[in-house]
Amino acid sequence: MSHPLLTLTTDFGPDGPYVAALKGIVLGLVPGTQIVDVTHRIAPQNILEGAFVLASIFDAFPPGTVHLGVIDPGVGTDRKLAALRVAGQWVLGPDNGLLGGVVRGRTVEGIWEIANPALRRATVSHTFHGRDILAPAAAHILGGGDPAAFGPPLPKVLCLANFEPRPTHDGYVAEIIFRDAFGNLVTNLHISQVQQIPPDAWSIEIAGHRIAGLVRTYADRPPGQVVALINSMGWIEIAVVNGDAGRQLAAGPGTTVWFHRSRTA
Amino acid sequence: MSHPLLTLTTDFGPDGPYVAALKGIVLGLVPGTQIVDVTHRIAPQNILEGAFVLASIFDAFPPGTVHLGVIDPGVGTDRKLAALRVAGQWVLGPDNGLLGGVVRGRTVEGIWEIANPALRRATVSHTFHGRDILAPAAAHILGGGDPAAFGPPLPKVLCLANFEPRPTHDGYVAEIIFRDAFGNLVTNLHISQVQQIPPDAWSIEIAGHRIAGLVRTYADRPPGQVVALINSMGWIEIAVVNGDAGRQLAAGPGTTVWFHRSRTA
Amino acid sequence: MSHPLLTLTTDFGPDGPYVAALKGIVLGLVPGTQIVDVTHRIAPQNILEGAFVLASIFDAFPPGTVHLGVIDPGVGTDRKLAALRVAGQWVLGPDNGLLGGVVRGRTVEGIWEIANPALRRATVSHTFHGRDILAPAAAHILGGGDPAAFGPPLPKVLCLANFEPRPTHDGYVAEIIFRDAFGNLVTNLHISQVQQIPPDAWSIEIAGHRIAGLVRTYADRPPGQVVALINSMGWIEIAVVNGDAGRQLAAGPGTTVWFHRSRTA
C-alpha cells in the first residue's frame, strides 16, 4: 500500500505521553504511515462512546484504512484483542464491545484474535497493550501483513446491548450515546430504522420535552427551538437551533429518548 | 504537487467524529495529503475568531497550501461557499466573514463560488457541508484541479466590520479578538497601523487599566506587570508578565481597548 | 532521510495559532515531514512536566526522530537554545531543564548551542523563538544538516533538581510530576531505582495514605483500592483501580511521595 492510513480512537486524553508513544511504535515499524486522530477524549473506559465514534467515521475513510481503538478497562485480564475486516477496512482493538459498532449494517469479511507473541514488542507491559501489542498489530496490517498470522479466527465480535435501541409497539426506546461540542445529543437510532416512516409522523420525548416530527436541518426552525433531525452520520439527533441541547434539556449520554409513530401517520 | 498540504480551522470541537470524517474524505480523494490541525476549538459559531486565526497563521505556510475553514452557522441556508486564492495560497470556507481576515494587507488573486454539484460527494447531507462539499473542494485544489470548475468568480469576500479597529482623533478603538492559552489578550490592531508611531508614545486603556507604551518582549518588565507589545503574529497584545492577563483584567474577546497617541510624542 | 519525523511538546495550548505557525515553517523548509503532536497542554511554563513527557515517549520513537520541546518562559532573555543528540535521536529546545529528562540513563552523543543567525527565519520576533529559531533548527536536522553549523558544542544540558527523587536511609523521597487523564499520579521514581528490591518490600506514603507493595497491574486489586505499580513508561505510579487517584487523594504534581523499604524484606 503506497499510503498506509491509520486512525486512532482512545480514552487516553490529549495531555500525556500515551498517544505519542503508540504512534512512535507504528512509525518505527511502518515509516510514512499517515495517522488521523479521531479522538483521545472518549470518556474514560466508555466503550459505548468509542463504538459509536468508530461507527460514525467509518464510511468516510477509503478501503485499506486501519482503525485502531483503545478503550481497554480490562487490560491485564484475559479479555481478547481482535482484528476485524469490514467492508474493505480494518478495525483493531479489545473485543469488549468497542468493535461492535462498525458491524451493524456492514459486511464482516473476517475476524482474527490478536494472539501471536511474535507480532508484539519484545517487552510487553502489564498496563499498555495499546502500545505494546495493538500498535505492532496495526503496523502488521499497514505493512501488508497477513491477518492469519495474528492467531485463530473468531466467530464474532462482542456487541453492546445498548448500542441498539429497543423496539416498542409504536416505535423505539432509544438512548443518547454522544453529546458533541455544540451540545447536540446523538441517539443510537439510525436512519435505516426510521426511513420507512414519514418524518412528520414521529413524536419524540426526551427529558420531559416533546418534539413533533423530524426536521431537515437546523435552519428549518427558529433559534432556541428543540428539534430532532437525521444528522450527517445517519443518527437521529436532538438539537437546539443555535443553542446547546445538552444544557437546555439537562440531558446527555444515557438519557432515554422515546420515539412514537403517531396514530394518524 | 508532490506534497499537498491542508490546514483545518473549525469549531467542531476535539471530541467527536466530525473532524476525522472530513479528513477521511480528503485522504480518500488525494492520498498522502498532509493535514495540519490549526484548531477545532474556535468558540462555536465565532466567525471572527476563525478569521483571526486564519489571518495569523497564513504567513507561516508555503505557497500552494490549502487552508480550509469551517465555522458555518448558516449551513443549510443559501449562504455561499467560496475558494479564495491569496498570495499563492488557498482559503476555502463559507463566505460569512471567515475568509475576510486573510484578505487584509494581502493580494487577492481570485475568488470562486464553490457551486458545482459534480465536485461534491454523491450524497450531500443538510448539516455537514464541511465533509460533503468543502472537503471534496479542498481535494480538488490539492489534486491540482482548476478553480474555475467550482463555479462563477465572485467580486469579493465578506469582511466582518469588527475585524478592523475604528480610527479616532488620537488613535484607535480596538477590540480583543483572541485570548490564548496563557491568558494573553490579542487585539485586532495590527503592526501596520502603529509602526509610524514611537512605541513609547502610545497610552492604552483596557478594563479600567492604563498601560504606558509598548514593550519589546515580556521579559522587559517585572512579573505581574500589565504590558502591551507587538506579538509574534503582528497583532498588538495585552499581557501580564508571567501571568494571565485575561484573568487579572477580567477581560476577553469583545473587550474594548483604547489606543491614544500621547500629546508629547 | 526518506521519512523525516518530528515530535512537538509545548505549553502553547491547543486553541490558538502558535502550533500551526510553527508547523508551517517546518513544512515549508522540509516538505513531507511527518509531525507527531506529543502534547501542547503542558501546564504553562512547567518545564519539569515537559522534561518528564519527553523522557517518557523517547524510547518509543525510531532513530533519527527529532523531538522539539518549547516551554520557554525565558524567551527574549539570554537563555540558550540547544540541540542534543541522544541514543540516535535528537532533542531541541531551550536549555532550561526541558532537555534534561532524556539524558537520564541514556548516552549523550553531542550537544550544540543553537546560535547561528543564518539558520533562523529572516525576521525573528521577540516572543516566539519556537517558530522563528527552533522550527528552522529542527528543519535543519530533519533535512540532514550538520549540527555543527548551529554553533559551539556545549558541555552539558541543564537538569532540574526535582526531576530526580532524593535517596533516604530506607528509600526515596519522590514527587508526583504528572497526573494523566485517568487521574493516575506518576512519580519521578524510575524502575531502574527500584528493581533490586522485591515489589512487596516497599511501603509507600502519599497524602496521608499508606500503600503496601507494588502490584503488577490495575486488575490485581478490587475497584476503588489505591495501588502503586511500575507503569508502562517505567515510572512508579499511584493509581486507584477503575478510579481517579488525583481526586481521591487530593494529590497532583508537586505532592511528596515517601518510598520505604520495609525492615522484613
Side-chain angles (χ1 to χ4, degrees):
Chain A
M1 204 185 319
S2 56
H3 289 286
L5 178 56
L6 175 69
T7 82
L8 297 178
T9 301
T10 81
D11 63 354
F12 295 175
D15 300 12
Y18 307 116
V19 175
L22 191 158
K23 291 180 181 178
I25 296 303
V26 172
L27 293 169
L29 292 167
V30 186
T33 296
Q34 187 156 21
I35 303 176
V36 170
D37 295 288
V38 179
T39 178
H40 301 293
R41 297 167 160 276
I42 298 293
Q45 313 194 344
N46 189 333
I47 295 163
L48 182 64
E49 188 185 351
F52 162 77
V53 167
L54 282 166
S56 296
I57 61 152
F58 191 88
D59 289 338
F61 281 84
T65 302
V66 177
H67 303 276
L68 176 53
V70 194
I71 295 131
D72 193 14
V75 64
T77 68
D78 60 358
R79 63 90 186 83
K80 286 187 172 64
L81 302 174
L84 176 65
R85 192 164 64 194
V86 183
Q89 301 184 54
W90 294 89
V91 190
L92 276 65
D95 181 26
N96 58 12
L98 184 60
L99 311 182
V102 297
V103 167
R104 186 169 159 186
R106 295 190 183 93
T107 306
V108 174
E109 297 159 352
I111 311 173
W112 294 265
E113 184 179 352
I114 299 173
N116 182 353
L119 295 177
R120 299 175 178 181
R121 292 186 81 193
T123 305
V124 172
S125 71
H126 296 297
T127 54
F128 195 3
H129 291 181
R131 179 193 60 188
D132 300 336
I133 303 179
L134 287 169
H140 178 70
I141 297 295
L142 289 162
D146 180 355
F150 282 141
L154 294 174
K156 61 186 180 67
V157 293
L158 188 71
C159 293
L160 296 178
N162 53 350
F163 195 78
E164 284 279 353
R166 189 159 50 82
T168 63
H169 72 286
D170 69 343
Y172 293 97
V173 180
E175 183 177 324
I176 301 299
I177 45 175
F178 191 73
R179 177 181 169 166
D180 75 15
F182 302 87
N184 299 320
L185 301 170
V186 185
T187 74
N188 57 353
L189 188 63
H190 192 258
I191 182 174
S192 59
Q193 295 165 309
V194 302
Q195 60 194 0
Q196 306 301 325
I197 311 294
D200 286 350
W202 289 104
S203 171
I204 301 155
E205 281 177 90
I206 174 173
H209 199 96
R210 182 178 292 269
I211 304 164
L214 302 174
V215 297
R216 194 183 53 96
T217 185
Y218 306 115
D220 285 353
R221 290 288 181 278
Q225 188 167 330
V226 182
V227 297
L229 76 170
I230 298 167
N231 79 6
S232 58
M233 307 292 184
W235 307 100
I236 312 301
E237 176 182 302
I238 312 299
V240 167
V241 180
N242 290 353
D244 183 316
R247 193 177 298 173
Q248 185 162 328
L249 301 175
T255 300
T256 300
V257 191
W258 284 268
F259 290 81
H260 306 283
R261 289 184 298 270
S262 64
R263 271 167 294 180
T264 57
Chain B
M1 205 185 317
S2 56
H3 288 286
L5 179 55
L6 174 69
T7 82
L8 298 178
T9 300
T10 80
D11 62 355
F12 295 173
D15 300 13
Y18 307 116
V19 175
L22 191 158
K23 291 180 181 178
I25 296 303
V26 172
L27 293 169
L29 292 168
V30 186
T33 296
Q34 187 155 21
I35 303 176
V36 170
D37 295 288
V38 179
T39 178
H40 301 292
R41 296 167 161 276
I42 298 294
Q45 314 194 342
N46 190 331
I47 295 163
L48 183 64
E49 188 185 352
F52 163 77
V53 167
L54 281 166
S56 296
I57 61 153
F58 190 88
D59 290 337
F61 281 84
T65 302
V66 177
H67 303 276
L68 176 53
V70 194
I71 295 134
D72 193 14
V75 63
T77 68
D78 60 358
R79 64 90 185 83
K80 285 187 171 64
L81 302 175
L84 176 66
R85 191 163 65 192
V86 183
Q89 300 184 54
W90 295 88
V91 191
L92 277 65
D95 181 27
N96 57 12
L98 184 60
L99 310 183
V102 298
V103 168
R104 185 168 158 185
R106 295 190 183 93
T107 305
V108 174
E109 296 157 354
I111 312 173
W112 293 266
E113 184 178 351
I114 300 173
N116 182 353
L119 295 177
R120 299 174 179 184
R121 292 186 82 195
T123 306
V124 172
S125 71
H126 296 297
T127 54
F128 195 3
H129 290 180
R131 178 194 60 187
D132 300 336
I133 304 178
L134 288 168
H140 178 70
I141 297 295
L142 290 162
D146 180 356
F150 282 140
L154 294 173
K156 61 185 179 67
V157 292
L158 188 73
C159 292
L160 295 178
N162 53 350
F163 195 79
E164 284 279 354
R166 189 159 50 83
T168 62
H169 72 286
D170 71 341
Y172 294 97
V173 180
E175 181 176 325
I176 302 299
I177 45 175
F178 191 73
R179 177 180 170 166
D180 75 16
F182 302 87
N184 299 320
L185 301 171
V186 185
T187 74
N188 56 354
L189 188 63
H190 192 258
I191 182 174
S192 58
Q193 295 166 308
V194 302
Q195 60 194 358
Q196 307 301 327
I197 311 295
D200 286 350
W202 290 103
S203 172
I204 300 154
E205 283 177 89
I206 174 174
H209 199 96
R210 182 177 293 270
I211 304 164
L214 302 174
V215 297
R216 195 184 52 96
T217 184
Y218 307 114
D220 286 353
R221 290 290 181 277
Q225 189 166 329
V226 182
V227 297
L229 75 170
I230 298 167
N231 79 6
S232 58
M233 306 292 184
W235 308 100
I236 312 301
E237 174 181 304
I238 312 298
V240 167
V241 179
N242 289 354
D244 182 317
R247 193 176 299 173
Q248 186 162 327
L249 301 175
T255 300
T256 300
V257 191
W258 284 268
F259 289 82
H260 305 283
R261 289 183 300 268
S262 64
R263 272 166 297 181
T264 56
Chain C
M1 204 183 321
S2 56
H3 289 286
L5 178 56
L6 174 70
T7 82
L8 298 178
T9 300
T10 81
D11 63 355
F12 295 174
D15 301 13
Y18 307 117
V19 176
L22 190 159
K23 291 180 181 178
I25 297 303
V26 172
L27 293 170
L29 292 167
V30 186
T33 296
Q34 186 155 22
I35 304 177
V36 170
D37 296 288
V38 179
T39 179
H40 302 292
R41 297 168 160 275
I42 299 292
Q45 313 194 343
N46 189 332
I47 296 163
L48 182 64
E49 188 185 352
F52 162 78
V53 167
L54 282 166
S56 296
I57 61 152
F58 190 88
D59 289 337
F61 281 84
T65 302
V66 177
H67 304 275
L68 175 53
V70 193
I71 296 133
D72 193 13
V75 64
T77 68
D78 61 357
R79 63 89 186 85
K80 286 187 170 66
L81 302 174
L84 176 66
R85 191 164 64 192
V86 183
Q89 300 184 54
W90 295 88
V91 191
L92 276 65
D95 181 26
N96 57 12
L98 184 60
L99 311 182
V102 298
V103 168
R104 185 167 158 187
R106 296 192 183 91
T107 306
V108 173
E109 297 159 352
I111 311 174
W112 293 266
E113 184 179 351
I114 299 173
N116 183 353
L119 295 177
R120 298 174 179 183
R121 291 186 81 194
T123 305
V124 172
S125 71
H126 296 298
T127 53
F128 195 3
H129 290 181
R131 179 194 61 188
D132 299 337
I133 303 178
L134 287 168
H140 178 71
I141 297 295
L142 289 162
D146 180 356
F150 282 139
L154 294 173
K156 60 186 180 67
V157 293
L158 187 72
C159 293
L160 296 178
N162 53 351
F163 194 78
E164 283 279 353
R166 189 158 50 81
T168 63
H169 72 286
D170 70 342
Y172 295 97
V173 180
E175 182 177 325
I176 302 299
I177 45 175
F178 190 73
R179 176 179 171 168
D180 75 15
F182 302 88
N184 298 321
L185 301 170
V186 185
T187 74
N188 56 354
L189 188 63
H190 192 257
I191 182 173
S192 59
Q193 294 165 309
V194 302
Q195 60 194 358
Q196 306 301 326
I197 311 296
D200 286 350
W202 290 103
S203 172
I204 301 154
E205 282 177 273
I206 172 172
H209 199 97
R210 182 177 291 271
I211 305 164
L214 302 175
V215 297
R216 194 183 51 96
T217 185
Y218 307 115
D220 285 354
R221 290 290 181 279
Q225 189 167 328
V226 181
V227 298
L229 75 170
I230 299 167
N231 78 7
S232 59
M233 307 292 184
W235 308 99
I236 313 301
E237 174 183 305
I238 313 299
V240 167
V241 179
N242 289 354
D244 182 317
R247 192 176 300 172
Q248 186 161 327
L249 301 174
T255 300
T256 300
V257 190
W258 284 268
F259 289 82
H260 307 282
R261 288 183 300 269
S262 64
R263 274 167 293 181
T264 57

